Amino acid sequence: MLVDETRLHIAIQKSGRLSDYSRGLLRDAGLKIQNGKNDLTARVDNFPADLMFVRDDDIPIFVSDGVCEFGIVGENVLREFSLGEDSPRFEVVAQLGFGKCTLKIAAPEASPYEGPQSLRGARIATSYPRILQRFLDDNGIDATVVKMNGAVELAPRLQIAAFICDLVSTGATLEANGLRAVETVFTSEAVLVRTRKPMAEAKVDQGAKLLSRIDGVLATKESKYIMLNAPSEALREITDILPGAEAPTILPLHGRPGHFAVHAVCQESVFWETLQKLKDAGASAILVLPIEKMML
Ligand code: ATP
Ligand code: MG
């Protein structure tokens, strides 16, 4: 299967925090994924692509080597990988908006902390030794990085290290382990990466199609279609209020001279406050509709 010159290979996390979102995104982009939870690969029936279900740590190397043309992975994993490479052999082609988290240094609640200087000479346990080392170097701090592959938050209690540097989303895990965040090292979300290795022409075309669909899915998430009626004198103010709308369509209303329908795609969230402003400006019959698909 891997020598197939016509089918794209897309690496996603097999099971973990990113897997459901990654599958969901590809499904929203119209890819029908046929497989059971335990399969390592899946053929997409209606698009020339095969999915590889792997550990997230393996995704950067697969995409770098061109074994997979695309991958979905956290920026944290990518950066840790890239810091060990001479030049990255992949490029980030979309920020996906899920898997948001922050790599933070945390200390036991009771211990004093007076800024990065407090880390001097200390031992810090982490699964992200390269990102942490870069942070320490950038801040001119000499400290010992202790690499752990998991359960990093136990390190202070086991006296393996005084501090930890780990991923945090809500902070609940830190709190449950009697720790508090003291420094932010790196902010991350899931991204779509594409290999820089040359691809067969058919794959370049399919890759561009996939990317355009994914861009469409991402744009739709925030976008709304707004329809409203307004008298001609209110049109300028109303079109100025519409959030993130380019070139709205303005149509005359049949049988109501001087009144128009305004239709627009808004690329930003539409809040109740915005609707009130539109109404105050003279708009009536305001409808806000979700957009199912979009191709930009
Ligand atoms: P794998 O078995 O694939 O190696 P893993 O245990 O390394 O899985 P997960 O815990 O599933 O990874 O996290 C995958 C990614 O989800 C992380 O690399 C990160 O980008 C993101 N993420 C979002 N929130 C968090 C969080 N609170 N803790 C850890 N990772 C998070
Ligand atoms: Mg992992």
Side-chain angles (χ1 to χ4, degrees):
M1 185 162 67
L2 294 181
V3 290
D4 190 328
E5 286 300 308
T6 58
R7 298 181 74 78
L8 288 176
H9 296 101
I10 308 168
I12 65 172
Q13 191 186 25
K14 182 173 189 308
S15 60
R17 292 171 198 266
L18 302 182
S19 34
D20 286 347
Y21 289 106
S22 305
R23 284 165 182 263
L25 175 69
L26 296 175
R27 267 197 211 109
D28 289 346
L31 275 59
K32 283 213 175 88
I33 308 170
Q34 306 286 10
N35 86 309
K37 277 262 167 194
N38 291 321
D39 296 342
L40 296 179
T41 63
R43 196 181 163 85
V44 179
D45 282 344
N46 57 351
F47 194 88
D50 293 311
L51 304 190
M52 311 283 143
F53 303 110
V54 298
R55 294 278 312 260
D56 68 345
D57 317 72
D58 291 333
I59 294 176
I61 188 82
F62 284 2
V63 177
S64 295
D65 287 352
V67 175
C68 292
E69 289 81 15
F70 286 90
I72 296 177
V73 66
E75 291 173 298
N76 52 310
V77 171
L78 272 187
R79 178 142 174 90
E80 183 65 20
F81 175 84
S82 302
L83 287 174
E85 297 282 298
D86 292 338
S87 60
R89 289 166 290 154
F90 47 73
E91 56 189 324
V92 171
V93 287
Q95 301 282 132
L96 302 177
F98 58 81
K100 290 192 175 172
C101 56
T102 319
L103 188 62
K104 290 192 172 176
I105 297 180
E109 255 147 26
S111 76
Y113 187 82
E114 280 127 29
Q117 310 314 322
S118 303
L119 301 170
R120 205 152 264 155
R123 289 165 62 82
I124 312 172
T126 188
S127 306
Y128 295 90
R130 293 180 186 135
I131 303 181
L132 174 58
Q133 191 60 57
R134 177 61 65 92
F135 173 85
L136 294 171
D137 292 347
D138 289 349
N139 285 280
I141 292 158
D142 217 349
T144 305
V145 175
V146 181
K147 164 109 203 264
M148 284 178 72
N149 290 319
V152 170
E153 56 284 343
L154 292 181
R157 242 186 294 162
L158 301 175
Q159 301 196 332
I160 295 167
F163 296 91
I164 67 161
C165 175
D166 202 8
L167 292 175
V168 179
S169 46
T170 60
T173 312
L174 287 186
E175 203 177 309
N177 285 285
L179 301 165
R180 70 190 158 99
V182 293
E183 294 290 341
T184 296
V185 174
F186 188 74
T187 306
S188 176
E189 68 181 275
V191 291
L192 180 71
V193 280
R194 180 175 61 200
T195 188
R196 285 187 191 275
K197 278 258 168 110
M199 291 181 220
E201 206 173 313
K203 290 197 182 197
V204 173
D205 290 350
Q206 296 307 335
K209 270 191 198 139
L210 176 72
L211 192 54
S212 132
R213 286 200 199 178
I214 287 180
D215 283 342
V217 172
L218 297 171
T220 335
K221 288 229 175 340
E222 281 283 288
S223 302
K224 294 278 181 273
Y225 195 80
I226 294 196
M227 305 198 289
L228 56 84
N229 294 343
S232 55
E233 64 275 12
L235 287 176
R236 176 160 292 275
E237 190 179 349
I238 284 172
T239 51
D240 283 349
I241 296 169
L242 288 171
E246 279 172 33
T249 307
I250 298 181
L251 307 159
L253 282 178
H254 183 66
R256 289 186 67 193
H259 281 73
F260 294 86
V262 178
H263 291 193
V265 173
C266 292
Q267 311 267 10
E268 293 163 28
S269 303
V270 181
F271 300 105
W272 283 108
E273 289 76 7
T274 314
L275 299 191
Q276 187 62 53
K277 272 193 214 153
L278 290 167
K279 191 161 186 286
D280 294 346
S284 59
I286 309 171
L287 297 181
V288 181
L289 309 172
I291 295 172
E292 192 181 301
K293 288 194 177 61
M294 201 186 252
M295 187 165 275
L296 301 172

